[in-house]
Amino acid sequence: MRWSFRGDDGQDLAVDRRKHMVEQQIRQRGIVDERVLKAMETVPREAFMPHDMQDLAYADGAMPIGRGQTISQPFVVAAMTEALQLEPGMRILEVGTGSGYQAAVLSEMGAEVYTIEFIPDLAREARARMEQLGYEHLHYMCGDGNLGWPEEAPFDGIIVTAAPPVLPGALGEQLKPGGRLVIPVGRVEQDLRVYRKNDDGSLERHTLFAVRFVPLVSQG
Ligand code: SAM
């Protein structure tokens, strides 16, 4: 039987599941930014899952969203979002729209989000979903995120949710000085890296932990 998000009294059961997800999977593993925790307690993750998988929306892992792609594990979304150190009004580039969940979390935190997806069906579905849910300050592009979004650059932060073998040069170039770029880099298993751009344009990097993302498709 499909799990219902409404109790007999009409109460939204997903609220409790989200609270539990945030406490058990995210806060207890060391995420401290209250704005990230609040956003993830608010965004209805089940709305970003395929209909027949909505009962797994709050499970502790990445889940398939069709076309061989995934919605990331809640903890990984939280860690990447925290690493961006975002403030309301910041212009953030996301590469890999997927279901739109990560973009919704960024929007919930007050960012102006520019999101790029390579697969047209996913791009279309994510946009329709976000519009239906009423998320604002989102800009969509269907194309190759390796190139970034030069017309809208520079960005205060960049988050990449698919893994290239090396950092795409255009993304480093499109980051503002002082900004952070969060990206998994490597083949099969990757390092989740955070690059910070210095005033002289150089990038400083540190690694958070190992992750497994789908590959960032490259046409080059
Ligand atoms: N952020 C997504 C979410 O919240 O659901 C999860 C993204 S999923 C792990 C990675 C996404 O990156 C897939 O939708 C995939 O099609 C997309 N992708 C892969 N290569 C890409 C590229 N070169 N440019 C843009 N998107 C790409």
Side-chain angles (χ1 to χ4, degrees):
M1 199 180 82
R2 235 187 85 197
W3 189 74
S4 163
F5 286 88
R6 293 270 162 208
D8 293 341
D9 57 357
Q11 178 203 358
D12 184 356
L13 301 174
V15 171
D16 287 344
R17 285 196 152 194
R18 270 199 293 284
K19 278 201 175 119
H20 189 262
M21 170 190 83
V22 166
E23 292 306 318
Q24 302 299 314
Q25 300 177 31
I26 300 177
R27 196 193 292 275
Q28 282 200 11
R29 291 183 185 148
I31 302 300
V32 295
D33 186 334
E34 289 295 336
R35 297 163 312 159
V36 175
L37 298 167
K38 179 89 189 123
M40 292 191 62
E41 215 177 284
T42 308
V43 176
R45 190 168 157 93
E46 68 278 9
F48 296 83
M49 303 279 293
H51 286 300
D52 60 350
M53 293 194 61
Q54 289 188 342
D55 54 339
L56 293 173
Y58 297 98
D60 188 10
M63 293 289 154
I65 55 169
R67 286 104 180 155
Q69 304 304 322
T70 52
I71 177 173
S72 305
Q73 181 187 15
F75 172 71
V76 173
V77 173
M80 292 179 79
T81 308
E82 185 176 63
L84 274 178
Q85 297 191 11
L86 91 80
E87 298 291 339
M90 277 188 172
R91 299 172 73 253
I92 304 292
L93 174 66
E94 181 199 24
V95 175
T97 314
S99 68
Y101 178 70
Q102 173 74 72
V105 170
L106 298 171
S107 165
E108 187 68 39
M109 292 177 69
E112 188 82 29
V113 185
Y114 295 79
T115 184
I116 308 177
E117 171 57 50
F118 191 71
I119 300 177
D121 282 352
L122 287 181
R124 217 175 9 252
E125 286 166 17
R127 181 174 191 155
R129 178 180 295 127
M130 307 285 270
E131 287 178 355
Q132 198 196 357
L133 290 168
Y135 286 102
E136 293 180 335
H137 307 291
L138 281 150
H139 310 265
Y140 307 87
M141 195 217 291
C142 185
D144 182 1
N146 282 285
L147 309 175
W149 196 327
E151 299 80 8
E152 296 293 345
F155 297 97
D156 298 301
I158 300 180
I159 180 168
V160 184
T161 61
V166 294
L167 176 68
L171 299 183
E173 283 163 19
Q174 292 177 26
L175 185 65
K176 272 189 198 166
R180 288 178 167 72
L181 192 172
V182 185
I183 183 169
V185 178
R187 300 174 201 275
V188 191
E189 189 169 275
Q190 306 104 24
D191 288 339
L192 184 55
R193 295 182 185 170
V194 182
Y195 290 91
R196 186 179 176 282
K197 195 169 199 172
N198 295 317
D199 288 342
D200 65 4
S202 61
L203 292 172
E204 255 170 56
R205 129 183 165 199
H206 75 272
T207 298
L208 292 180
F209 47 81
V211 285
R212 268 178 192 256
F213 273 85
V214 295
L216 186 74
V217 176
S218 174
Q219 296 178 304

